Amino acid sequence: RVQLRESGGGSVQAGGSLRLSCETSGSIDSGYCMGWLRQAPAKGREGVAAVYWGNGVTYYADSVKGRFTISQDKDNDTLYLQMVSLTEEDTAMYYCAIVESPVCLVSGAAAEWHYWGQGTQVTVSS
């Protein structure tokens, strides 16, 4: 079982930046997709960004395009999410997730992912 541990969340003012990290318990093979999901209070889970581990191709939800950047550190099997120009609408619990799949989707559906972490809270205030 792959274990994922997120970190880097916190409280920032609107317009600020945060960088989330996701450490994995083992080596990630090329046939995996890793992504970030988020869930705000009283809202459904939303896919934010994803990266296909093998070729580094990235995918983003329209709501974060141009503001968030997902990246990978293959040497350390670590996933990152750089977030800039944060707004109150970005307030949510952010989760790192992974699935072994030939395709990579930016999806908030639990069924699309095999494992995810405990989450890290991001709070943006005006």
Side-chain angles (χ1 to χ4, degrees):
R1 175 185 174 89
V2 177
Q3 292 184 320
L4 307 173
R5 185 176 68 181
E6 305 92 339
S7 62
S11 297
V12 296
Q13 289 194 322
S17 303
L18 282 173
R19 188 193 195 203
L20 306 183
S21 299
C22 173
E23 296 179 358
T24 66
S25 61
S27 178
I28 305 300
D29 293 331
S30 59
Y32 282 79
C33 173
M34 289 197 72
W36 290 97
L37 292 62
R38 67 184 181 185
Q39 187 162 18
K43 291 187 178 180
R45 193 180 299 109
E46 175 189 19
V48 174
V51 59
Y52 201 72
W53 206 256
N55 58 20
V57 176
T58 58
Y59 307 84
Y60 295 94
D62 288 342
S63 58
V64 305
K65 279 181 182 176
R67 299 188 301 120
F68 290 11
T69 303
I70 189 170
S71 62
Q72 56 183 156
D73 179 348
K74 288 188 174 182
D75 291 337
N76 295 297
D77 294 300
T78 302
L79 184 71
Y80 299 101
L81 185 70
Q82 178 69 51
M83 307 183 293
V84 302
S85 301
L86 286 162
T87 71
E88 291 178 279
E89 287 67 38
D90 296 315
T91 295
M93 183 71 79
Y94 284 71
Y95 301 90
C96 170
I98 188 170
V99 61
E100 184 178 10
S101 172
V103 297
C104 207
L105 300 175
V106 181
S107 172
E112 298 289 348
W113 303 96
H114 286 163
Y115 303 109
W116 51 90
Q118 294 298 309
T120 185
Q121 178 67 37
V122 172
T123 302
V124 185
S125 59
S126 60

